Structures are given as C-alpha cells and as structure tokens.
Amino acid sequence: MITKVLIANRGEIAVRIIRACREYGVRTVAVCSEADRSALHAQIADETVCIGPAASKDSYLNVKNILSACEITGANAVHPGFGFLSENAAFARACAKCSIEFIGPSADAIDRMGNKAQAKETMRSAGVPVVPGSDGIVETVEDARRIAGEIGYPVMVKASAGGGGRGIRLVRDEEELAPSMLAAQQEALSFFGDSGVYIEKFIEDPRHIEIQILADKFGNIIHLGERDCSMQRRNQKVLEESPSPAAFMTQELREKMGRAAILAAKAVNYHSAGTIEFLVDRYGNFYFMEMNTRIQVEHPITELVTGVDIVKEQLRIADGRFLSYSQRDIRLSGHAIECRINAENPSQGFRPSPGTIRALYMPGGPGVRIDSAMYAGYTIPPYYDSMIAKLITYAGSREEAIAKMKWALAEFIVDGVDTNIEFQLNLLRDEDFERAEYDIGFLNRKKFSGSSGGAKA
Ligand code: ADP
Ligand code: ADP
Ligand code: MG
C-alpha cells in the first residue's frame, strides 16, 4: 500500500500532485535542486530533500539521488509528473527494482511507445488508423525516394526517438528529400543519440486532437473525451480546449476516437493515465501520431468537463485499486479552456524572462482555476521551463468560457517579469478563434503582438 509519495518534479505540477496526495491521505516528499530551495513545492510538502545543483541533469534527472531520497525518507512511491523522468523506462525499472511504486505505466509500456516508428507499427496491427508512411525506419535515400513517391509529396521525415518537436522536417518535393533526410538524421542523432528516421504523409492543415484515457491494473480502460490542442507555436501547445470546437466533431466521432484510443492502450497492456495524440484532417479523418505515457500539462480541462480528478485516479490505480468509473459514468458537460502563462517576452521572439515577482494578483471567482507555483517575492530561476501558471476557465458554453477567460487574463497581474498574458488576450480576440476556425498552422500564419498596452477584455 502506498503510504508516502516522492514527487520527482517541480513547479505547478509538483504542487498539483502534492495536493492530490493530501486528499488521498498519503504523506509527501518534495525534491528540489539548490536553485529551488524557496520554490513553493519545496515549502508545502511534508518533507523536502535537496537532490543536487541547479542543472536538471544533476538534480531532477539524477536517478541515483532521487532513489536515495526515497530511501532516506521511506517514500514507497514516486510520481514523475511530466517532462524530466516521466517517460524514462530505465527510471521506471530502477524504481521497481527498489520496490518503489512508479506512479505511471510499466517500463515495458513506456518502451513500446517511446520508439515512435515501432509504436506506429504496434498501432497499425492493433487496427488503429495511423498516418500513411514507411513501415518503420528508412535507411537509405533510395528507399526514401521510393516510399515518398508512393505516398505522394509533401511528406514529413521524423525522428523515431523524437520528442518536443525535434528532428522533424517537411519535404515538399523530391529535390528536397536527400538534404532534409540528412538534416533530420543529424538532429535526431545529436538530440536523442539515435539517427533513425521514418517517413509519413504530411497532413495539410490538420487539428491536433488527443484522447485522455485511464486504465487500471485489471484491464479496465475508459476514455475521458478529447482535448483540442491545435493552438501551437513551434509544435508547443499554447491554449487548449475541451471539448473540441471543430465543426467536424460529433458524439459519433468522439466515440470512434475514444474506441481507437482504448485499443491503443490495450495493445501495450497500459495502466495509469495516458494520452493518445491524433492528427485530424478537415473531413474528420483521424490518424494516430503518438502516445504520451504520463500526466499531461493540459489535464485540468478534462477534469473540469468530466468531474474526474485524474491525478487522484493515478494514485488509486498505482495503489492497486479498481477504476472509480466505468465508461457509462463519463459525460462531458460544459466547456473548459486553458491558457499557458509563460514568463517570456512575445515581442522579443518569446525570449524567456526569469526574475523576481514583485507583485502578484491572480484572478478567481466561479469557473476560474489556476494551477501555479508562483507567489509574490518568488524568484523564477532561469534553468527550467518558462511556464509559470495555467489559467483555466469553465462554463456552460464555449462562448461563456471565452468571456470568462478574457476577464481573468485582464485581471491577472504579474509584476517584475514579462509574460505572454497580453499575447493570449489578443489571440482570444481573434475572429477566426472565436469561430473555432483554426488548425495547427494558425499561430504561424497570424502575427499577434504581445504588448498592446493596457489589458482590457
Ligand atoms: P504536453 O503534451 O503535456 O502538453 P509538452 O509537449 O508541453 O507536453 O511537454 C510537457 C513538458 O515536458 C514540458 O515542460 C516540456 O519542456 C517537457 N518535454 C517534452 N518533451 C520532452 C523531451 N523529449 N525531453 C525532455 N523534456 C520534454
Ligand atoms: P513530438 O514527439 O515532437 O511531440 P509529434 O509526432 O507529436 O512529435 O509531432 C509534433 C507536431 O508536429 C504535431 O503536434 C503536429 O503539429 C506536427 N506534425 C507531426 N506529424 C505531422 C504530419 N504527418 N503532418 C502534419 N503535421 C505533423
Ligand atoms: Mg507530440
């Protein structure tokens, strides 16, 4: 039985997990780097252990020190959050070896989804639609030419070990193929230590729509509907909504995608929370892209429209309990939107803006949720991700959720560092956004400014 959970992460997600542990009735251990001693997560946990210097590789990625911290404090479970060690199969295996419950899927499931070319193969044989492309890794330019010719240009060359938008190249015609393939292979080698690439058809102006699933250790799997994450800048999500406001989204398509996601999870014997990402074209054809075998940044919007506490379910599942819900219990109601608030300057190429928060006012009221680790006087260190808060609104309709978000953004004051709050406001004012007409290329085509003066909804 889980009695004490060590949270191997920092920032808002560490705070989110500590809160869930408290409600679940287990004790918490925070870990922090030397740069994070005054961070909120390090202050609110029952115990805190410093695990190394500021650089992530010496602290939040330091497996040896994290396992030692479990030993010292008697923590018998680890929650990895997102990023850092969350999708690291070797870490999951090391926890198991020390009889520490890894709050996530098995190391084997992480392995099978981590190699993206192999994951696509697994999905294809499970009957899940995948983006048309090569059967696994493409070794030579001759093979690439033949395959690209068969599926038709434009195509994408993608790193099999990839993540975070790295090692991906768009190829418009045969002339570009050889140089782009080489570039993708080199980037893949330097980022992931693995030059393997695969080829897939470039889907024109798709939406990114993902399905949240929950699975227990007894083979029960449910889905919690979809999130539309098409609002992206350089393959990074900026704003998410649930349900998807796309014109093609129907209850029928939702159920079809939900069934495909459950098939995907079954194929790798999945347990815990997970997300299956799909690309969806304008006709509503959907294609498996990848599975994220962890809690996701944007999980709160699903929590609001379903009423399910996803992190608490992760704890229950890891503890060997049955899912609290069956598929029949899950009904989407209302509409939720999340804006990622980053310490960055949109008018200077989104350059990160670490520093001390002098004054802070966070909005509230009915239907407004903030997940953050900020407080007045806190100094945002320069070493980690620039996301400092998630502002989430929930209302009966999309229109109302947007109106709430505009006022919440306008009220939000973070004094001392630059933020993307005004950029988000300008995005929300866009007519195409209001009409829900956007795809993954939207932010590349439109040029929103980030400093339009006073914030007025
Ligand atoms: P989500 O799918 O949950 O929105 P993101 O792509 O925004 O996930 O990534 C969540 C966090 O994980 C971010 O802090 C990001 O920097 C980090 N991250 C994503 N991919 C990788 C990777 N391959 N290696 C390390 N960190 C990553
Ligand atoms: P990562 O592991 O880096 O997140 P993904 O496979 O999820 O890589 O792709 C990242 C993003 O690139 C997607 O969210 C989408 O915007 C774009 N993308 C990926 N594959 C395709 C494709 N075949 N056609 C069009 N866009 C794509
Ligand atoms: Mg992805």
Tab-separated table of all heavy atoms in Angstrom, residues 116 131-132 155-156 158-159 162-166 168 192 198 200-206 208 229 232 235 237 277 279 289-290 292 440, ligand 2:
chain	number	residue	atom	x	y	z
A	116	LYS	N	8.895	5.813	-31.796
A	116	LYS	CA	7.669	6.209	-32.485
A	116	LYS	C	7.370	5.396	-33.740
A	116	LYS	O	6.208	5.148	-34.054
A	116	LYS	CB	7.714	7.702	-32.808
A	116	LYS	CG	7.666	8.538	-31.522
A	116	LYS	CD	8.050	9.975	-31.760
A	116	LYS	CE	6.928	10.703	-32.457
A	116	LYS	NZ	7.265	12.136	-32.599
A	131	VAL	N	-0.971	7.628	-39.576
A	131	VAL	CA	-0.647	8.457	-40.737
A	131	VAL	C	0.063	7.562	-41.754
A	131	VAL	O	1.006	6.849	-41.397
A	131	VAL	CB	0.291	9.621	-40.339
A	131	VAL	CG1	0.541	10.527	-41.540
A	131	VAL	CG2	-0.311	10.424	-39.186
A	132	PRO	N	-0.396	7.557	-43.036
A	132	PRO	CA	0.256	6.706	-44.042
A	132	PRO	C	1.745	7.039	-44.133
A	132	PRO	O	2.126	8.204	-44.033
A	132	PRO	CB	-0.443	7.086	-45.350
A	132	PRO	CG	-1.696	7.789	-44.959
A	132	PRO	CD	-1.492	8.353	-43.591
A	155	VAL	N	5.793	15.234	-47.805
A	155	VAL	CA	5.927	14.230	-46.751
A	155	VAL	C	6.697	14.824	-45.567
A	155	VAL	O	7.291	15.902	-45.684
A	155	VAL	CB	6.673	12.964	-47.237
A	155	VAL	CG1	5.922	12.291	-48.370
A	155	VAL	CG2	8.112	13.293	-47.636
A	156	MET	N	6.667	14.115	-44.456
A	156	MET	CA	7.461	14.522	-43.301
A	156	MET	C	8.469	13.439	-42.978
A	156	MET	O	8.135	12.252	-42.985
A	156	MET	CB	6.570	14.773	-42.098
A	156	MET	CG	5.957	16.154	-42.125
A	156	MET	SD	5.373	16.600	-40.503
A	156	MET	CE	5.860	18.299	-40.413
A	158	LYS	N	10.616	12.125	-39.892
A	158	LYS	CA	10.536	12.318	-38.432
A	158	LYS	C	11.463	11.378	-37.664
A	158	LYS	O	11.566	10.198	-37.998
A	158	LYS	CB	9.080	12.091	-37.956
A	158	LYS	CG	8.089	13.088	-38.561
A	158	LYS	CD	6.639	12.731	-38.247
A	158	LYS	CE	6.291	12.948	-36.787
A	158	LYS	NZ	4.823	12.738	-36.563
A	159	ALA	N	12.087	11.917	-36.637
A	159	ALA	CA	12.969	11.118	-35.793
A	159	ALA	C	12.149	10.102	-35.003
A	159	ALA	O	11.162	10.459	-34.371
A	159	ALA	CB	13.727	12.023	-34.823
A	162	GLY	N	12.156	10.795	-31.396
A	162	GLY	CA	11.905	12.225	-31.190
A	162	GLY	C	10.935	12.589	-30.085
A	162	GLY	O	10.232	11.756	-29.535
A	163	GLY	N	10.941	13.876	-29.762
A	163	GLY	CA	10.052	14.468	-28.776
A	163	GLY	C	10.292	15.965	-28.772
A	163	GLY	O	11.347	16.418	-29.222
A	164	GLY	N	9.300	16.722	-28.298
A	164	GLY	CA	9.463	18.171	-28.219
A	164	GLY	C	9.662	18.841	-29.581
A	164	GLY	O	10.260	19.903	-29.666
A	165	GLY	N	9.137	18.223	-30.637
A	165	GLY	CA	9.202	18.832	-31.963
A	165	GLY	C	10.572	18.786	-32.631
A	165	GLY	O	10.784	19.426	-33.659
A	166	ARG	N	11.512	18.008	-32.104
A	166	ARG	CA	12.869	17.954	-32.675
A	166	ARG	C	13.014	16.821	-33.697
A	166	ARG	O	12.378	15.782	-33.572
A	166	ARG	CB	13.897	17.712	-31.567
A	166	ARG	CG	13.977	18.815	-30.564
A	166	ARG	CD	14.825	19.947	-31.085
A	166	ARG	NE	14.800	21.066	-30.163
A	166	ARG	CZ	15.357	22.225	-30.422
A	166	ARG	NH1	15.964	22.434	-31.578
A	166	ARG	NH2	15.317	23.192	-29.534
A	168	ILE	N	12.267	16.853	-36.932
A	168	ILE	CA	11.154	16.747	-37.883
A	168	ILE	C	11.427	17.685	-39.069
A	168	ILE	O	11.820	18.827	-38.869
A	168	ILE	CB	9.811	17.147	-37.214
A	168	ILE	CG1	9.493	16.209	-36.039
A	168	ILE	CG2	8.672	17.132	-38.219
A	168	ILE	CD1	8.180	16.522	-35.324
A	192	PHE	N	18.898	12.843	-29.570
A	192	PHE	CA	18.399	11.613	-28.944
A	192	PHE	C	19.394	10.462	-29.008
A	192	PHE	O	19.103	9.355	-28.558
A	192	PHE	CB	17.071	11.199	-29.589
A	192	PHE	CG	16.095	12.336	-29.744
A	192	PHE	CD1	15.776	12.846	-31.002
A	192	PHE	CD2	15.523	12.933	-28.627
A	192	PHE	CE1	14.902	13.910	-31.147
A	192	PHE	CE2	14.646	14.000	-28.761
A	192	PHE	CZ	14.336	14.489	-30.023
A	198	TYR	N	11.734	8.013	-39.848
A	198	TYR	CA	10.704	7.370	-40.655
A	198	TYR	C	10.000	8.452	-41.459
A	198	TYR	O	10.201	9.653	-41.216
A	198	TYR	CB	9.724	6.567	-39.773
A	198	TYR	CG	8.973	7.363	-38.725
A	198	TYR	CD1	7.619	7.678	-38.905
A	198	TYR	CD2	9.593	7.788	-37.555
A	198	TYR	CE1	6.914	8.394	-37.940
A	198	TYR	CE2	8.901	8.509	-36.587
A	198	TYR	CZ	7.558	8.808	-36.795
A	198	TYR	OH	6.862	9.522	-35.843
A	200	GLU	N	6.370	9.999	-43.137
A	200	GLU	CA	4.910	9.913	-43.213
A	200	GLU	C	4.338	11.033	-44.056
A	200	GLU	O	4.994	12.042	-44.310
A	200	GLU	CB	4.262	9.819	-41.823
A	200	GLU	CG	4.429	10.994	-40.924
A	200	GLU	CD	3.892	10.721	-39.498
A	200	GLU	OE1	3.911	9.569	-39.024
A	200	GLU	OE2	3.462	11.688	-38.875
A	201	LYS	N	3.126	10.815	-44.516
A	201	LYS	CA	2.433	11.801	-45.333
A	201	LYS	C	2.236	13.063	-44.505
A	201	LYS	O	1.928	13.013	-43.324
A	201	LYS	CB	1.082	11.213	-45.753
A	201	LYS	CG	0.199	12.158	-46.515
A	201	LYS	CD	-0.097	11.622	-47.916
A	201	LYS	CE	-0.723	12.694	-48.806
A	201	LYS	NZ	0.248	13.292	-49.748
A	202	PHE	N	2.436	14.214	-45.143
A	202	PHE	CA	2.176	15.490	-44.482
A	202	PHE	C	0.677	15.752	-44.568
A	202	PHE	O	0.113	15.822	-45.656
A	202	PHE	CB	2.970	16.602	-45.167
A	202	PHE	CG	2.689	17.972	-44.596
A	202	PHE	CD1	3.098	18.301	-43.316
A	202	PHE	CD2	2.018	18.923	-45.351
A	202	PHE	CE1	2.841	19.566	-42.789
A	202	PHE	CE2	1.758	20.194	-44.836
A	202	PHE	CZ	2.174	20.503	-43.551
A	203	ILE	N	0.048	15.844	-43.427
A	203	ILE	CA	-1.393	16.123	-43.416
A	203	ILE	C	-1.564	17.642	-43.476
A	203	ILE	O	-1.022	18.364	-42.647
A	203	ILE	CB	-2.060	15.570	-42.124
A	203	ILE	CG1	-1.658	14.109	-41.870
A	203	ILE	CG2	-3.567	15.731	-42.181
A	203	ILE	CD1	-2.252	13.103	-42.806
A	204	GLU	N	-2.331	18.119	-44.488
A	204	GLU	CA	-2.483	19.561	-44.681
A	204	GLU	C	-3.436	20.154	-43.639
A	204	GLU	O	-4.552	19.669	-43.482
A	204	GLU	CB	-3.046	19.859	-46.082
A	204	GLU	CG	-2.205	19.352	-47.237
A	204	GLU	CD	-1.067	20.302	-47.626
A	204	GLU	OE1	-0.982	21.419	-47.071
A	204	GLU	OE2	-0.257	19.906	-48.491
A	205	ASP	N	-2.996	21.199	-42.977
A	205	ASP	CA	-3.821	21.963	-42.039
A	205	ASP	C	-4.683	21.098	-41.110
A	205	ASP	O	-5.892	21.285	-41.038
A	205	ASP	CB	-4.750	22.929	-42.798
A	205	ASP	CG	-3.972	23.816	-43.750
A	205	ASP	OD1	-2.800	24.113	-43.437
A	205	ASP	OD2	-4.527	24.201	-44.797
A	206	PRO	N	-4.071	20.157	-40.409
A	206	PRO	CA	-4.874	19.304	-39.516
A	206	PRO	C	-5.105	19.971	-38.171
A	206	PRO	O	-4.489	20.998	-37.849
A	206	PRO	CB	-3.975	18.082	-39.329
A	206	PRO	CG	-2.589	18.652	-39.361
A	206	PRO	CD	-2.635	19.818	-40.329
A	208	HIS	N	-4.843	19.094	-34.016
A	208	HIS	CA	-4.254	18.155	-33.071
A	208	HIS	C	-5.334	17.881	-32.020
A	208	HIS	O	-5.691	18.759	-31.260
A	208	HIS	CB	-3.000	18.771	-32.433
A	208	HIS	CG	-2.432	17.985	-31.280
A	208	HIS	ND1	-1.128	17.541	-31.247
A	208	HIS	CD2	-2.988	17.574	-30.115
A	208	HIS	CE1	-0.913	16.888	-30.110
A	208	HIS	NE2	-2.024	16.898	-29.399
A	229	CYS	N	-5.790	20.615	-29.077
A	229	CYS	CA	-4.531	21.327	-28.788
A	229	CYS	C	-3.936	21.872	-30.075
A	229	CYS	O	-2.714	21.881	-30.262
A	229	CYS	CB	-3.533	20.396	-28.117
A	229	CYS	SG	-4.196	19.480	-26.722
A	232	GLN	N	-0.861	25.978	-31.463
A	232	GLN	CA	0.547	25.664	-31.177
A	232	GLN	C	1.469	26.720	-31.772
A	232	GLN	O	1.174	27.303	-32.802
A	232	GLN	CB	0.944	24.306	-31.790
A	232	GLN	CG	0.160	23.120	-31.263
A	232	GLN	CD	0.631	21.798	-31.873
A	232	GLN	OE1	1.540	21.769	-32.702
A	232	GLN	NE2	0.006	20.711	-31.471
A	235	ASN	N	5.330	23.799	-32.580
A	235	ASN	CA	4.946	22.483	-32.049
A	235	ASN	C	4.751	22.471	-30.534
A	235	ASN	O	4.654	21.413	-29.925
A	235	ASN	CB	5.960	21.396	-32.427
A	235	ASN	CG	6.142	21.279	-33.931
A	235	ASN	OD1	5.162	21.369	-34.673
A	235	ASN	ND2	7.363	21.093	-34.375
A	237	LYS	N	2.262	23.551	-27.409
A	237	LYS	CA	0.880	23.948	-27.191
A	237	LYS	C	0.810	25.279	-26.420
A	237	LYS	O	1.613	25.517	-25.522
A	237	LYS	CB	0.158	22.856	-26.401
A	237	LYS	CG	0.120	21.533	-27.168
A	237	LYS	CD	-0.167	20.350	-26.280
A	237	LYS	CE	-0.038	19.054	-27.053
A	237	LYS	NZ	-0.056	17.866	-26.180
A	277	GLU	N	-2.373	10.903	-29.010
A	277	GLU	CA	-2.464	12.095	-29.859
A	277	GLU	C	-2.801	11.706	-31.292
A	277	GLU	O	-2.184	10.800	-31.847
A	277	GLU	CB	-1.121	12.853	-29.861
A	277	GLU	CG	-0.738	13.421	-28.495
A	277	GLU	CD	0.505	14.319	-28.542
A	277	GLU	OE1	1.311	14.227	-29.497
A	277	GLU	OE2	0.671	15.114	-27.605
A	279	LEU	N	-3.782	13.322	-35.365
A	279	LEU	CA	-3.978	14.431	-36.298
A	279	LEU	C	-5.315	14.170	-36.972
A	279	LEU	O	-5.618	13.033	-37.324
A	279	LEU	CB	-2.868	14.462	-37.353
A	279	LEU	CG	-1.495	14.941	-36.883
A	279	LEU	CD1	-0.497	14.873	-38.044
A	279	LEU	CD2	-1.560	16.360	-36.325
A	289	MET	N	-0.786	9.600	-33.926
A	289	MET	CA	0.513	10.251	-34.074
A	289	MET	C	1.488	9.721	-33.035
A	289	MET	O	2.571	9.274	-33.363
A	289	MET	CB	0.341	11.762	-33.949
A	289	MET	CG	1.577	12.545	-34.284
A	289	MET	SD	1.195	14.261	-34.637
A	289	MET	CE	0.200	14.705	-33.248
A	290	GLU	N	1.128	9.785	-31.750
A	290	GLU	CA	1.987	9.219	-30.704
A	290	GLU	C	1.187	9.104	-29.420
A	290	GLU	O	0.113	9.674	-29.282
A	290	GLU	CB	3.238	10.082	-30.476
A	290	GLU	CG	2.940	11.468	-29.908
A	290	GLU	CD	4.206	12.145	-29.340
A	290	GLU	OE1	5.158	11.438	-28.987
A	290	GLU	OE2	4.197	13.378	-29.228
A	292	ASN	N	1.507	9.734	-25.247
A	292	ASN	CA	2.275	10.274	-24.128
A	292	ASN	C	1.922	9.447	-22.900
A	292	ASN	O	0.778	9.430	-22.461
A	292	ASN	CB	1.955	11.753	-23.911
A	292	ASN	CG	2.481	12.605	-25.064
A	292	ASN	OD1	3.548	12.336	-25.606
A	292	ASN	ND2	1.725	13.594	-25.460
A	440	ILE	N	-3.329	23.586	-36.774
A	440	ILE	CA	-2.008	23.698	-36.139
A	440	ILE	C	-1.113	24.774	-36.768
A	440	ILE	O	-0.112	25.155	-36.181
A	440	ILE	CB	-1.243	22.350	-36.099
A	440	ILE	CG1	-1.004	21.820	-37.511
A	440	ILE	CG2	-1.966	21.319	-35.265
A	440	ILE	CD1	-0.094	20.615	-37.557
B	2	ADP	P1	6.742	15.229	-30.757
B	2	ADP	O1	7.096	13.860	-30.233
B	2	ADP	O2	7.956	16.068	-31.013
B	2	ADP	O3	5.633	15.869	-29.971
B	2	ADP	P2	4.775	14.655	-32.811
B	2	ADP	O4	4.845	13.422	-33.645
B	2	ADP	O5	3.750	14.697	-31.714
B	2	ADP	O6	6.198	14.944	-32.234
B	2	ADP	O7	4.591	15.914	-33.781
B	2	ADP	C1	4.696	17.240	-33.278
B	2	ADP	C2	3.803	18.188	-34.079
B	2	ADP	O8	4.223	18.230	-35.479
B	2	ADP	C3	2.342	17.788	-34.136
B	2	ADP	O9	1.593	18.250	-33.000
B	2	ADP	C4	1.894	18.432	-35.431
B	2	ADP	O10	1.672	19.819	-35.191
B	2	ADP	C5	3.112	18.311	-36.347
B	2	ADP	N1	3.083	17.070	-37.200
B	2	ADP	C6	3.627	15.879	-36.886
B	2	ADP	N2	3.423	14.953	-37.862
B	2	ADP	C7	2.736	15.579	-38.839
B	2	ADP	C8	2.208	15.171	-40.134
B	2	ADP	N3	2.360	13.933	-40.615
B	2	ADP	N4	1.553	16.102	-40.863
B	2	ADP	C9	1.392	17.359	-40.411
B	2	ADP	N5	1.847	17.807	-39.219
B	2	ADP	C10	2.518	16.944	-38.429
